Amino acid sequence: MYKVTVIGSGNWGSVAAKLIACNTITLHSFHDEVRMWVFEETLPSGEKLTDVINKTNENVKYLPGIKLGKNVVADPDLENAVKDANMLVFVTPHQFVEGICKRLAGKIRADAEGISLIKGMEVKKEGPSMISNLVTKQLGINCSVLMGANIANEIAMEKFSEATVGYNQNKSAADRWVQLFCTPYFDVTAVQDVEGVELCGTLKNVVAIAAGFVDGLEMGNNTKAAIMRIGLKEMMAFSKMCFPSVKDSTFMESCGVADLITTCMGGRNRKVADAYARNGGKRSFDELEAEMLQGQKLQGVLTAKEVHEVLSNRGWLHIFPLFSAVHLISIGRLPPSAIVKISEEKPRYSIYLSGSDISC
């Protein structure tokens, strides 16, 4: 039998636990109980977050008003939470993954499988390293990914959504993940392109920051649509230049164009970037994040910095004017209005998208 632990308990982590818990209780090949590792916090009431989750069956800080399922057990001890699990779901801010994996090295089951729901990357000297690859290298386990047009609160309210599992060679493991996450309101499909699926989920947050700037400057829907189209081009070009095995068809899955649309229309990256632009860039993203997100983390600004580092190291800045502009605006080097100056750069993506159906 398979036993599941969710490593992370923020907004999306809590929703993932809810999805999984409603399936493990009915699927005979899974243990009913779903452990959820919680980074312990003390609430204003003086109670521990873990205690409140286990008492009320609700993450009152990150997903208030939603019952997780009585078979979800919150655990503040990371090693204890994963002790018996052979299916590990990683869903934390991406900057914390390496530290978590170091703590878990040598302490998980030999037959464990992983899946990452994390948007982000690590920048190494040799280039970008995806979170799934980091998990595989540090823990010695196969790691798939799940990405899609998934605003967590909407899924928590059981509104219909889709997602994509990306896998390498292990189709049977991918099928198990699909079975574990799929519900009547959450439709999951699998594609053999782990880097493509993961990069879609990572890079769309950078484009969402750009879309937020457009909204904050009240530039209108035409401008926003143009930014989204340019952003999709840069997502495809960056992915294929870094990982030539990435498939064009992956961008037509939920993890690709659908996730890009929903993140640019809603979501925390767009929301905070909107506020940044309305304040003329005079209030930092760190300040706005602390004020607006109630402890949740903003991924787009950090990812833009990481992407910029890759582009700078490889001499590609001139090919990716949108990605470059998002980073420079985010750190105050350019005003938010510079986001619409990128069209003057006239990048030539088509030479980097050979064989693609989508060309400039």
Side-chain angles (χ1 to χ4, degrees):
M1 293 180 72
Y2 297 99
K3 188 171 177 60
V4 185
T5 291
V6 178
I7 301 171
S9 58
N11 186 236
W12 187 210
S14 298
V15 174
K18 170 180 158 57
L19 286 167
I20 291 166
C22 78
N23 280 329
T24 58
I25 208 162
T26 60
L27 295 170
H28 298 305
S29 55
F30 293 86
H31 285 277
D32 289 354
E33 182 183 280
V34 176
R35 288 263 158 182
M36 180 174 72
W37 174 63
V38 177
F39 181 79
E40 191 65 281
E41 301 178 54
T42 302
L43 299 173
S45 65
E47 295 176 284
K48 298 293 186 184
L49 179 58
T50 301
D51 293 337
V52 174
I53 292 172
N54 286 332
K55 183 169 64 177
T56 66
N57 192 229
E58 180 182 331
N59 189 332
V60 295
K61 180 168 184 179
Y62 296 110
L63 194 65
I66 301 294
K67 296 300 181 183
L68 301 180
K70 292 184 178 179
N71 51 326
V72 174
V73 178
D75 192 334
D77 185 326
L78 178 61
E79 292 178 26
N80 188 65
V82 305
K83 182 175 60 177
D84 299 317
N86 53 0
M87 296 188 78
L88 304 176
V89 180
F90 293 85
V91 54
T92 66
H94 79 271
Q95 58 267 38
F96 302 139
V97 177
E98 190 162 12
I100 288 170
C101 286
K102 285 179 179 176
R103 291 172 61 186
L104 292 179
K107 296 169 183 173
I108 61 172
R109 285 175 52 162
D111 63 341
E113 289 273 345
I115 193 166
S116 170
L117 281 59
I118 299 167
K119 284 87 173 174
M121 67 176 79
E122 294 283 320
V123 178
K124 308 291 185 183
K125 286 183 179 179
E126 60 273 18
S129 176
M130 305 315 298
I131 298 301
S132 61
N133 188 53
L134 188 154
V135 171
T136 294
K137 283 188 173 180
Q138 295 232 359
L139 298 181
I141 63 174
N142 180 59
C143 188
S144 303
V145 298
L146 183 143
M147 307 283 158
N150 305 146
I151 292 178
N153 287 339
E154 294 182 11
I155 300 169
M157 292 185 286
E158 302 189 2
K159 296 180 179 180
F160 180 74
S161 302
E162 297 178 315
T164 311
V165 166
Y167 68 98
N168 279 323
Q169 303 297 328
N170 196 335
K171 180 65 163 59
S172 61
D175 290 341
R176 269 195 303 279
W177 290 119
V178 169
Q179 184 183 34
L180 189 63
F181 279 96
C182 218
T183 71
Y185 61 89
F186 193 67
D187 190 36
V188 184
T189 56
V191 298
Q192 192 173 353
D193 184 7
V194 68
E195 291 87 2
V197 172
E198 193 165 7
L199 278 162
C200 283
T202 297
L203 297 173
K204 54 91 183 188
N205 284 331
V206 181
V207 185
I209 296 287
F213 294 152
V214 169
D215 286 345
L217 295 168
E218 299 183 354
M219 290 181 172
N221 292 328
N222 292 342
T223 305
K224 190 170 181 178
I227 290 297
M228 291 166 66
R229 185 197 68 82
I230 294 166
L232 179 60
K233 287 286 191 180
E234 294 199 8
M235 287 170 58
M236 293 181 70
F238 184 90
S239 299
K240 293 174 77 68
M241 289 167 73
C242 291
F243 298 93
S245 65
V246 167
K247 300 174 181 176
D248 294 333
S249 58
T250 298
F251 293 88
M252 296 299 108
E253 299 289 342
S254 177
C255 63
V257 66
D259 195 7
L260 177 65
I261 292 168
T262 198
T263 308
C264 288
M265 301 304 289
R268 69 187 75 158
N269 290 281
R270 189 221 61 81
K271 177 182 177 181
V272 179
D274 181 320
Y276 182 87
R278 290 182 190 278
N279 283 279
K282 294 176 182 176
R283 297 183 66 193
S284 72
F285 271 98
D286 286 342
E287 181 184 356
L288 291 167
E289 175 189 272
E291 178 183 301
M292 300 174 69
L293 298 186
Q294 301 177 324
Q296 296 180 66
K297 291 299 180 183
L298 195 69
Q299 297 297 304
V301 172
L302 179 55
T303 301
K305 176 179 180 292
E306 293 164 341
V307 167
H308 192 270
E309 189 176 340
V310 174
L311 300 180
S312 180
N313 289 344
R314 298 195 175 188
W316 292 349
L317 286 170
H318 65 290
I319 305 170
F320 297 90
L322 178 67
F323 286 172
S324 300
V326 168
H327 173 64
L328 294 175
I329 294 168
S330 298
I331 61 173
R333 294 270 299 277
L334 290 175
S337 59
I339 200 64
V340 295
K341 305 289 177 61
I342 59 168
S343 60
E344 299 168 6
E345 300 289 336
K346 301 295 183 188
R348 293 189 62 199
Y349 302 110
S350 57
I351 61 173
Y352 301 102
L353 296 172
S354 58
S356 172
D357 293 340
I358 306 173
S359 58
C360 292

